[in-house]
Protein backbone atom coordinates (compact mmCIF):
# COMPACT_ATOMS: atom_id res chain seq x y z
CA UNK A 1 0.00 0.00 0.00
CA UNK A 2 1.34 3.42 -0.94
CA UNK A 3 2.41 5.55 2.00
CA UNK A 4 0.69 8.93 1.68
CA UNK A 5 1.62 11.98 3.66
CA UNK A 6 1.25 15.73 3.83
CA UNK A 7 3.51 18.64 4.73
CA UNK A 8 2.97 20.96 7.64
CA UNK A 9 4.44 24.00 5.93
CA UNK A 10 6.91 26.18 7.86
CA UNK A 11 4.69 29.13 6.96
CA UNK A 12 2.15 27.78 9.47
CA UNK A 13 2.75 29.67 12.73
CA UNK A 14 3.97 27.41 15.58
CA UNK A 15 0.84 28.04 17.62
CA UNK A 16 -1.11 26.17 14.91
CA UNK A 17 1.06 23.03 14.95
CA UNK A 18 -1.40 21.32 17.28
CA UNK A 19 -4.20 21.87 14.77
CA UNK A 20 -2.03 20.45 11.97
CA UNK A 21 -1.22 17.42 14.11
CA UNK A 22 -4.90 16.84 14.88
CA UNK A 23 -5.83 17.16 11.20
CA UNK A 24 -3.25 14.52 10.24
CA UNK A 25 -4.01 12.16 13.12
CA UNK A 26 -7.76 12.05 12.54
CA UNK A 27 -8.02 12.39 8.75
CA UNK A 28 -6.17 9.31 7.54
CA UNK A 29 -2.78 10.48 6.28
CA UNK A 30 0.08 8.10 7.12
CA UNK A 31 2.78 10.70 7.72
CA UNK A 32 3.08 14.41 8.48
CA UNK A 33 6.35 16.06 7.44
CA UNK A 34 7.99 19.23 8.72
CA UNK A 35 10.74 21.27 7.10
CA UNK A 36 13.69 23.13 8.56
CA UNK A 37 13.74 26.19 6.32
CA UNK A 38 15.78 29.13 7.59
CA UNK A 39 14.62 31.07 9.45
CA UNK A 40 11.29 29.56 10.33
CA UNK A 41 10.60 26.99 13.05
CA UNK A 42 13.17 24.38 14.09
CA UNK A 43 12.45 20.87 12.84
CA UNK A 44 13.24 19.07 16.11
CA UNK A 45 10.92 21.28 18.14
CA UNK A 46 8.19 21.04 15.51
CA UNK A 47 8.46 17.26 15.29
CA UNK A 48 8.43 16.93 19.08
CA UNK A 49 5.27 19.03 19.30
CA UNK A 50 3.46 16.90 16.72
CA UNK A 51 4.64 13.58 18.15
CA UNK A 52 3.50 14.55 21.64
CA UNK A 53 0.08 15.47 20.28
CA UNK A 54 -0.48 12.28 18.26
CA UNK A 55 -0.39 8.49 18.65
CA UNK A 56 -0.87 7.04 15.16
CA UNK A 57 0.95 8.98 12.46
CA UNK A 58 4.66 8.99 11.67
CA UNK A 59 6.43 12.35 11.61
CA UNK A 60 9.10 13.03 9.01
CA UNK A 61 11.79 15.68 9.10
CA UNK A 62 12.58 16.72 5.58
CA UNK A 63 15.26 17.84 6.18
CA UNK A 64 17.79 19.14 8.72
CA UNK A 65 20.67 21.00 6.98
CA UNK A 66 23.95 19.32 7.90
CA UNK A 67 25.94 22.58 8.28
CA UNK A 68 23.40 23.92 10.79
CA UNK A 69 24.35 21.77 13.80
CA UNK A 70 27.02 19.47 15.15
CA UNK A 71 26.25 15.82 14.37
CA UNK A 72 26.50 14.88 18.06
CA UNK A 73 23.79 17.41 18.93
CA UNK A 74 21.61 16.07 16.10
CA UNK A 75 22.05 12.53 17.41
CA UNK A 76 21.26 13.57 21.00
CA UNK A 77 18.05 15.33 20.03
CA UNK A 78 16.91 12.59 17.67
CA UNK A 79 17.60 9.86 20.23
CA UNK A 80 15.17 11.48 22.67
CA UNK A 81 12.36 11.49 20.12
CA UNK A 82 13.20 8.04 18.77
CA UNK A 83 13.06 6.52 22.26
CA UNK A 84 10.02 8.48 23.42
CA UNK A 85 8.09 7.69 20.22
CA UNK A 86 9.62 4.46 18.83
CA UNK A 87 8.90 3.80 15.19
CA UNK A 88 7.17 7.13 14.62
CA UNK A 89 9.99 9.50 13.63
CA UNK A 90 11.63 9.57 10.19
CA UNK A 91 14.68 11.84 10.45
CA UNK A 92 16.20 13.37 7.34
CA UNK A 93 19.29 15.44 6.59
CA UNK A 94 20.50 17.33 3.54
CA UNK A 95 22.83 19.99 2.19
CA UNK A 96 20.59 22.91 3.12
CA UNK A 97 20.13 25.98 0.94
CA UNK A 98 23.64 27.29 0.43
CA UNK A 99 22.60 30.95 0.52
CA UNK A 100 21.07 30.41 3.97
CA UNK A 101 24.13 28.51 5.15
CA UNK A 102 26.21 31.50 4.07
CA UNK A 103 24.00 33.84 6.09
CA UNK A 104 24.84 32.00 9.30
CA UNK A 105 28.53 31.54 8.50
CA UNK A 106 28.17 27.77 8.06
CA UNK A 107 28.66 27.33 4.34
CA UNK A 108 31.26 24.66 3.55
CA UNK A 109 33.47 24.13 0.54
CA UNK A 110 32.23 20.56 -0.05
CA UNK A 111 28.60 19.98 0.96
CA UNK A 112 28.84 16.46 -0.46
CA UNK A 113 31.70 15.53 1.87
CA UNK A 114 29.89 17.00 4.87
CA UNK A 115 26.72 15.07 4.08
CA UNK A 116 28.64 11.80 3.74
CA UNK A 117 30.54 12.33 6.99
CA UNK A 118 27.42 13.30 8.93
CA UNK A 119 25.35 10.39 7.61
CA UNK A 120 28.11 7.94 8.49
CA UNK A 121 28.60 9.35 11.99
CA UNK A 122 24.89 9.74 12.65
CA UNK A 123 24.21 6.14 11.71
CA UNK A 124 26.90 4.96 14.11
CA UNK A 125 25.72 7.14 16.99
CA UNK A 126 22.05 6.19 16.60
CA UNK A 127 23.13 2.56 16.31
CA UNK A 128 24.63 2.69 19.79
CA UNK A 129 28.26 2.68 18.65
CA UNK A 130 31.18 4.57 20.16
CA UNK A 131 32.25 6.79 17.27
CA UNK A 132 35.67 8.24 16.63
CA UNK A 133 36.26 10.03 13.35
CA UNK A 134 38.70 12.65 12.11
CA UNK A 135 37.10 13.81 8.91
CA UNK A 136 37.23 16.97 6.90
CA UNK A 137 34.24 18.41 8.78
CA UNK A 138 33.12 15.83 11.34
CA UNK A 139 35.45 15.16 14.28
CA UNK A 140 34.38 12.92 17.14
CA UNK A 141 36.58 11.37 19.81
CA UNK A 142 35.01 8.31 21.44
CA UNK A 143 31.48 9.73 21.40
CA UNK A 144 28.51 7.49 22.23
CA UNK A 145 24.94 8.15 23.25
CA UNK A 146 23.86 7.23 26.77
CA UNK A 147 20.34 6.56 25.48
CA UNK A 148 20.56 5.35 21.89
CA UNK A 149 17.31 4.43 20.09
CA UNK A 150 15.80 1.08 21.02
CA UNK A 151 14.57 0.34 17.48
CA UNK A 152 16.43 0.60 14.15
CA UNK A 153 16.41 4.11 12.70
CA UNK A 154 15.60 4.88 9.09
CA UNK A 155 17.85 7.75 7.97
CA UNK A 156 16.64 9.82 5.02
CA UNK A 157 18.73 12.13 2.85
CA UNK A 158 17.53 14.88 0.55
CA UNK A 159 19.04 14.65 -2.91
CA UNK A 160 18.59 16.01 -6.42
CA UNK A 161 21.91 15.96 -8.30
CA UNK A 162 23.47 12.70 -9.55
CA UNK A 163 26.37 12.72 -7.06
CA UNK A 164 24.11 13.29 -4.07
CA UNK A 165 21.60 10.69 -5.26
CA UNK A 166 24.35 8.07 -5.50
CA UNK A 167 25.74 9.11 -2.11
CA UNK A 168 22.30 8.92 -0.51
CA UNK A 169 21.80 5.46 -1.94
CA UNK A 170 25.06 4.37 -0.37
CA UNK A 171 24.85 6.01 3.07
CA UNK A 172 21.15 6.61 3.77
CA UNK A 173 18.10 4.35 4.04
CA UNK A 174 15.94 6.50 1.83
CA UNK A 175 15.91 9.58 -0.37
CA UNK A 176 13.46 12.45 -0.46
CA UNK A 177 13.13 14.34 -3.74
CA UNK A 178 12.05 17.94 -4.16
CA UNK A 179 8.62 18.95 -5.40
CA UNK A 180 10.26 20.10 -8.65
CA UNK A 181 10.77 16.44 -9.60
CA UNK A 182 8.47 14.94 -12.25
CA UNK A 183 7.54 11.24 -12.53
CA UNK A 184 10.23 10.90 -15.20
CA UNK A 185 12.66 12.50 -12.78
CA UNK A 186 11.70 9.89 -10.19
CA UNK A 187 12.60 7.12 -12.66
CA UNK A 188 15.99 8.67 -13.32
CA UNK A 189 16.62 9.18 -9.59
CA UNK A 190 15.73 5.56 -8.84
CA UNK A 191 18.47 4.39 -11.22
CA UNK A 192 21.12 6.61 -9.64
CA UNK A 193 20.08 5.66 -6.12
CA UNK A 194 20.34 1.98 -7.03
CA UNK A 195 23.97 2.51 -8.03
CA UNK A 196 24.71 3.83 -4.56
CA UNK A 197 22.74 1.09 -2.82
CA UNK A 198 24.75 -1.53 -4.72
CA UNK A 199 27.96 -0.11 -3.23
CA UNK A 200 26.57 0.00 0.30
CA UNK A 201 26.31 -3.75 0.77
CA UNK A 202 22.99 -3.27 2.59
CA UNK A 203 20.10 -5.46 1.52
CA UNK A 204 17.07 -3.89 3.18
CA UNK A 205 14.73 -1.87 0.92
CA UNK A 206 15.74 1.70 0.14
CA UNK A 207 12.84 4.13 0.42
CA UNK A 208 12.16 6.71 -2.28
CA UNK A 209 10.01 9.63 -1.17
CA UNK A 210 8.48 11.90 -3.79
CA UNK A 211 7.13 15.31 -2.86
CA UNK A 212 4.31 16.66 -5.01
CA UNK A 213 3.22 20.27 -4.86
CA UNK A 214 -0.57 20.15 -5.03
CA UNK A 215 -3.25 22.80 -5.25
CA UNK A 216 -6.98 22.39 -4.98
CA UNK A 217 -9.90 24.78 -5.09
CA UNK A 218 -11.23 27.23 -7.67
CA UNK A 219 -7.87 29.00 -8.21
CA UNK A 220 -5.71 25.86 -7.97
CA UNK A 221 -4.12 26.06 -11.42
CA UNK A 222 -3.15 29.71 -10.98
CA UNK A 223 -1.61 29.13 -7.55
CA UNK A 224 0.38 26.15 -8.77
CA UNK A 225 1.65 28.06 -11.81
CA UNK A 226 2.78 30.97 -9.63
CA UNK A 227 4.62 28.64 -7.27
CA UNK A 228 6.38 26.74 -10.02
CA UNK A 229 7.43 29.90 -11.85
CA UNK A 230 9.78 30.71 -8.97
CA UNK A 231 11.77 27.46 -9.34
CA UNK A 232 14.32 27.24 -12.17
CA UNK A 233 14.80 23.52 -11.42
CA UNK A 234 11.13 22.69 -12.03
CA UNK A 235 10.71 19.68 -14.34
CA UNK A 236 7.77 19.58 -16.78
CA UNK A 237 5.09 17.30 -15.41
CA UNK A 238 5.83 17.99 -11.76
CA UNK A 239 3.00 19.03 -9.46
CA UNK A 240 -0.77 18.80 -9.79
CA UNK A 241 -3.79 21.07 -9.58
CA UNK A 242 -7.38 19.88 -9.28
CA UNK A 243 -9.77 17.94 -7.12
CA UNK A 244 -9.10 14.82 -5.05
CA UNK A 245 -9.34 12.53 -8.08
CA UNK A 246 -6.81 14.58 -10.05
CA UNK A 247 -4.40 14.57 -7.12
CA UNK A 248 -4.86 10.82 -6.57
CA UNK A 249 -4.13 10.23 -10.26
CA UNK A 250 -0.88 12.19 -9.88
CA UNK A 251 0.04 10.10 -6.84
CA UNK A 252 -0.44 6.95 -8.91
CA UNK A 253 1.82 8.33 -11.66
CA UNK A 254 4.61 8.93 -9.16
CA UNK A 255 4.17 5.47 -7.63
CA UNK A 256 4.33 3.86 -11.08
CA UNK A 257 7.57 5.79 -11.66
CA UNK A 258 9.15 4.22 -8.57
CA UNK A 259 8.10 6.23 -5.50
CA UNK A 260 7.40 4.22 -2.35
CA UNK A 261 6.03 7.21 -0.49
CA UNK A 262 4.27 10.32 -1.79
CA UNK A 263 4.14 13.47 0.32
CA UNK A 264 1.73 16.18 -0.82
CA UNK A 265 2.57 19.77 -0.05
CA UNK A 266 0.34 22.81 -0.50
CA UNK A 267 1.45 25.98 -2.22
CA UNK A 268 2.79 28.61 0.14
CA UNK A 269 -0.25 30.80 -0.53
CA UNK A 270 -2.80 28.06 0.17
CA UNK A 271 -5.60 29.81 2.09
CA UNK A 272 -6.01 26.92 4.56
CA UNK A 273 -2.77 25.06 5.33
CA UNK A 274 -4.38 22.93 8.04
CA UNK A 275 -7.42 22.25 5.88
CA UNK A 276 -5.11 20.98 3.14
CA UNK A 277 -3.80 18.26 5.46
CA UNK A 278 -7.36 17.25 6.32
CA UNK A 279 -8.31 17.23 2.63
CA UNK A 280 -5.45 14.85 1.80
CA UNK A 281 -6.45 12.43 4.53
CA UNK A 282 -10.20 12.53 4.07
CA UNK A 283 -10.55 12.85 0.30
CA UNK A 284 -7.30 11.75 -1.40
CA UNK A 285 -6.25 8.88 0.87
CA UNK A 286 -9.36 6.75 0.09
CA UNK A 287 -8.56 7.04 -3.64
CA UNK A 288 -4.93 5.88 -3.29
CA UNK A 289 -4.37 2.15 -2.95
Amino acid sequence: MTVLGAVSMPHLPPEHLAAAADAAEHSGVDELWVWEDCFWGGAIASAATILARTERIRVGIGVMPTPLRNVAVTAMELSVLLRAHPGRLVPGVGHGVQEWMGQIGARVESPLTLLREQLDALRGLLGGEKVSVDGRYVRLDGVSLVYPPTVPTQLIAAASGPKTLRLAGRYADGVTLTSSTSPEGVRAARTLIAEGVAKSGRTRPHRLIANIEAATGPDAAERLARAQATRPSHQPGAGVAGDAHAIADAVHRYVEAGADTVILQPTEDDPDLVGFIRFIGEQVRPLVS
Side-chain angles (χ1 to χ4, degrees):
M1 188 173 184
T2 301
V3 175
L4 188 68
V7 176
S8 178
M9 296 289 282
H11 307 82
L12 185 72
E15 59 268 26
H16 297 306
L17 275 174
D22 291 347
E25 179 81 351
H26 301 299
S27 68
V29 297
D30 303 306
E31 298 181 347
L32 185 62
W33 283 69
V34 296
W35 295 354
E36 189 158 76
D37 278 4
C38 298
F39 299 94
W40 304 81
I44 295 289
S46 298
T49 300
I50 295 169
L51 285 165
R53 181 83 178 189
T54 57
E55 296 180 356
R56 181 188 62 83
I57 61 169
R58 289 184 298 274
V59 178
I61 298 178
V63 291
M64 296 172 286
T66 51
L68 197 58
R69 58 171 65 79
N70 184 285
V71 68
V73 175
T74 301
M76 289 164 61
E77 292 185 322
L78 290 177
S79 68
V80 172
L81 297 182
L82 289 163
R83 285 183 69 108
H85 308 279
R88 294 185 54 222
L89 178 70
V90 185
V93 296
H95 295 312
V97 176
Q98 296 307 296
E99 180 181 352
W100 292 338
M101 298 305 101
Q103 282 184 270
I104 62 171
R107 189 167 186 166
V108 298
E109 186 177 346
S110 177
L112 200 68
T113 301
L114 174 59
L115 181 60
R116 175 181 55 79
E117 291 182 353
Q118 282 226 12
L119 279 169
D120 208 23
L122 192 56
R123 179 181 300 283
L125 291 169
L126 295 178
E129 300 173 14
K130 180 177 285 189
V131 179
S132 292
V133 60
D134 185 18
R136 182 174 179 180
Y137 300 110
V138 175
R139 297 179 178 87
L140 300 173
D141 183 9
V143 176
S144 61
L145 296 174
V146 176
Y147 294 114
T150 55
V151 298
T153 304
Q154 184 184 65
L155 279 178
I156 303 298
S160 56
K163 291 182 179 179
T164 308
L165 286 165
R166 291 190 185 98
L167 182 145
R170 185 171 184 178
Y171 291 96
D173 302 304
V175 171
T176 180
L177 305 174
T178 73
S179 63
S180 295
T181 310
S182 67
E184 193 56 41
V186 170
R187 290 189 179 90
R190 174 64 83 179
T191 299
L192 293 166
I193 293 166
E195 294 175 11
V197 172
K199 291 184 178 180
S200 73
R202 296 195 305 275
T203 57
R204 69 179 184 178
H206 197 277
R207 188 179 182 192
L208 197 158
I209 303 164
N211 283 273
I212 306 178
E213 191 163 34
T216 190
D219 59 346
E222 291 80 2
R223 285 193 288 110
L224 183 65
R226 284 198 301 270
Q228 293 179 338
T230 65
R231 301 189 186 96
S233 60
H234 170 73
Q235 298 176 356
V240 59
D243 60 11
H245 288 275
I247 294 174
D249 287 344
V251 171
H252 289 140
R253 289 194 295 274
Y254 277 80
V255 171
E256 290 168 0
D260 307 300
T261 298
V262 174
I263 307 300
L264 294 161
Q265 67 180 66
T267 57
E268 295 178 9
D269 60 353
D270 190 294
D272 187 358
L273 294 173
V274 173
F276 178 87
I277 298 169
R278 191 177 299 109
F279 164 76
I280 298 305
E282 292 178 350
Q283 298 189 42
V284 180
R285 170 79 271 185
L287 301 175
V288 176
S289 60

